Amino acid sequence: MASAETSLHALADKHGAKRPPSPFRLPRPMRVALVGAGLPAAALIEFLQSDDARDDYTVVAIFDERGDRRPPVLGAKPVEKGLSGLRDLAEAGKIDAILLTLYGASSARMFEIIERIGTTAVDIYLPREHKDKHFSWTSYHLIGGLPFLCIKGRPFRGFAGVFKRIEDYTLAVLALTLIGPILLLAMLAIRLDSPGPALIHQRRIGLGGKLFSMLKLRSMHFDPDDDGRIGAIADDPRITRVGAFLRATSIDELPQVLNVLRGDMSMIGPRPHVPNMLVENTVYGVSVGEYVARHRVRPGITGWAQVNGMRGGIHDIEKARRGAQLDIYYIENWTPWLDIKILWRTIFGGLRDPSALRSPG
């Protein structure tokens, strides 16, 4: 083990890898899962559990596909057989990153593993030795003092994350100032039109797959048992007279500005969905494999999918797949200018779109 640890640290030194202090660290240790339980993984775990690193990293689980040849325990952690539990941890929001510690593995082997776990909402890292082997990597990082390539990562880290949050708070405060009177009038109209609260809370999926309470103006007849899994359809009898107008103009979504100020949402990003949302009687995440990758960023009030024809309910697999692809395009190609473009098209295009006005979604 000592030789493996020495070689790994030598690799870090060879590439000038030093751990710079970062003002943008997570408020808690980064929760990681390792794939591979060989000597490199043992050396890495020893480092991650050392006094120098334990405040920055927590090893949640270790997975290995070598069957009976895998060690039963590594660094006081049991080694799980296969990868079946890895995706469950990621989708439950229990890990922040997956480290592929398969040093010496072929590119084909790496591709095969990444294909199986690549649609999770967490960061995925592989050894720097694969830099020139046709992997589309986004950034170079030090994990436990060792060089890794991030091939699937949350885009809003470091300066980009700070910029995005400043953008969100600035736009949210400005929007709340402008829409305050509209919200008050809409809430009054709702109460006069039908019994029930004007403002409702709905459970939605947020960053990293975690649930949060999303605010919305009520646009349907009040039903405390409606969990929202089945979306509205054209001429849905549940929609009230006032609700039809609110939904067509997206006024019912305006209270989500408060979610932005609370940090649950972003002004611009993939729209948040209800847990286990159904599409053609199948859970969205089951029907569309890449769906969970949407959760790599905070959900938004408007997004790239919405300004590209995805307003309204999602009731067929083809539309569900297109929506996920548009959201992933936004995540992987984000720039401040793209946000400006989406905001412009939302304000000056979406609200006047005749098809949007007819859609109850």
Side-chain angles (χ1 to χ4, degrees):
M1 182 182 299
S3 61
E5 184 175 13
T6 301
S7 64
L8 286 176
H9 283 288
L11 177 62
D13 294 337
K14 175 182 177 182
H15 296 287
K18 297 180 180 179
R19 185 193 303 170
S22 172
F24 307 119
R25 288 179 181 173
L26 291 171
R28 50 170 168 69
M30 177 183 285
R31 303 164 301 170
V32 301
L34 275 61
V35 174
L39 288 178
L44 181 59
I45 289 175
E46 184 175 337
F47 187 90
L48 294 178
Q49 294 179 340
S50 68
D51 291 338
D52 291 336
R54 65 180 53 176
D55 290 337
D56 297 327
Y57 306 99
T58 298
V59 179
V60 176
I62 308 167
F63 299 85
D64 193 290
E65 293 191 292
R66 292 179 295 169
D68 294 336
R69 293 189 296 118
R70 79 189 191 284
V73 176
L74 204 61
K77 288 284 184 181
V79 178
E80 305 291 337
K81 181 179 180 181
L83 302 180
S84 59
L86 180 59
R87 189 180 180 89
D88 294 337
L89 282 177
E91 293 184 353
K94 295 181 179 180
I95 56 176
D96 302 305
I98 298 171
L99 308 185
L100 304 181
T101 59
L102 303 173
Y103 285 84
S106 66
S107 294
R109 173 66 172 147
M110 284 293 192
F111 270 120
E112 188 267 334
I113 293 176
I114 292 166
E115 182 68 20
R116 289 160 60 187
I117 64 176
T119 56
T120 59
V122 303
D123 298 347
I124 300 177
Y125 297 85
L126 75 164
R128 192 184 189 278
E129 65 185 39
H130 292 276
K131 179 178 184 295
D132 301 318
K133 297 184 179 179
H134 311 294
F135 287 98
S136 178
W137 56 282
T138 60
S139 55
Y140 170 62
H141 293 266
L142 295 175
I143 305 293
L146 302 175
F148 280 85
L149 302 177
C150 182
I151 57 170
K152 297 280 185 180
R154 298 178 185 178
F156 304 131
R157 293 278 175 87
F159 176 77
V162 173
F163 180 91
K164 182 71 169 173
R165 292 310 294 158
I166 291 175
E167 172 189 286
D168 283 337
Y169 281 114
T170 302
L171 291 175
V173 170
L174 178 61
L176 193 59
T177 302
L178 296 175
I179 67 176
I182 298 175
L183 282 175
L184 292 175
L185 289 174
M187 294 173 70
L188 177 61
I190 292 169
R191 293 302 302 270
L192 293 175
D193 183 53
S194 61
L199 191 66
I200 59 175
H201 299 256
Q202 295 182 338
R203 287 204 317 160
R204 297 295 173 102
I205 305 174
L207 177 64
K210 296 180 180 179
L211 298 180
F212 72 97
S213 179
M214 188 188 78
L215 298 171
K216 192 172 184 179
L217 291 178
R218 180 173 58 84
S219 61
M220 296 184 177
H221 293 287
F222 183 62
D223 180 1
D225 298 323
D226 185 2
D227 62 3
R229 293 180 68 200
I230 301 176
I233 58 175
D235 301 320
D236 196 315
R238 297 175 297 170
I239 299 175
T240 65
R241 292 174 299 173
V242 170
F245 174 77
L246 297 179
R247 295 170 73 89
T249 56
S250 297
I251 292 176
D252 62 323
E253 310 287 0
L254 294 182
Q256 288 153 40
V257 170
L258 297 175
N259 285 111
V260 175
L261 293 174
R262 290 197 314 199
D264 298 324
M265 294 179 62
S266 177
M267 291 296 289
I268 300 164
R271 286 294 296 155
H273 291 159
V274 297
N276 299 317
M277 176 178 171
L278 298 178
V279 180
E280 293 185 359
N281 296 318
T282 304
V283 175
Y284 200 153
V286 175
S287 304
V288 181
E290 61 268 36
Y291 170 76
V292 72
R294 303 168 72 255
H295 304 147
R296 286 156 54 194
V297 300
R298 287 183 178 86
I301 296 177
T302 185
W304 184 241
Q306 282 61 53
V307 299
N308 280 280
M310 289 300 298
R311 287 200 62 209
I314 300 176
H315 304 290
D316 63 82
I317 299 298
E318 188 57 37
K319 186 175 182 180
R321 185 172 292 110
R322 171 168 167 74
Q325 290 171 347
L326 288 168
D327 287 332
I328 293 171
Y329 173 87
Y330 170 79
I331 293 170
E332 296 182 347
N333 295 274
W334 175 84
T335 65
W337 296 114
L338 182 57
D339 275 357
I340 292 173
K341 182 177 182 179
I342 293 171
L343 190 62
W344 179 271
R345 290 175 61 175
T346 298
I347 296 173
F348 298 103
L351 296 182
R352 294 202 308 265
D353 184 358
S355 63
L357 292 175
R358 289 196 300 269
S359 170

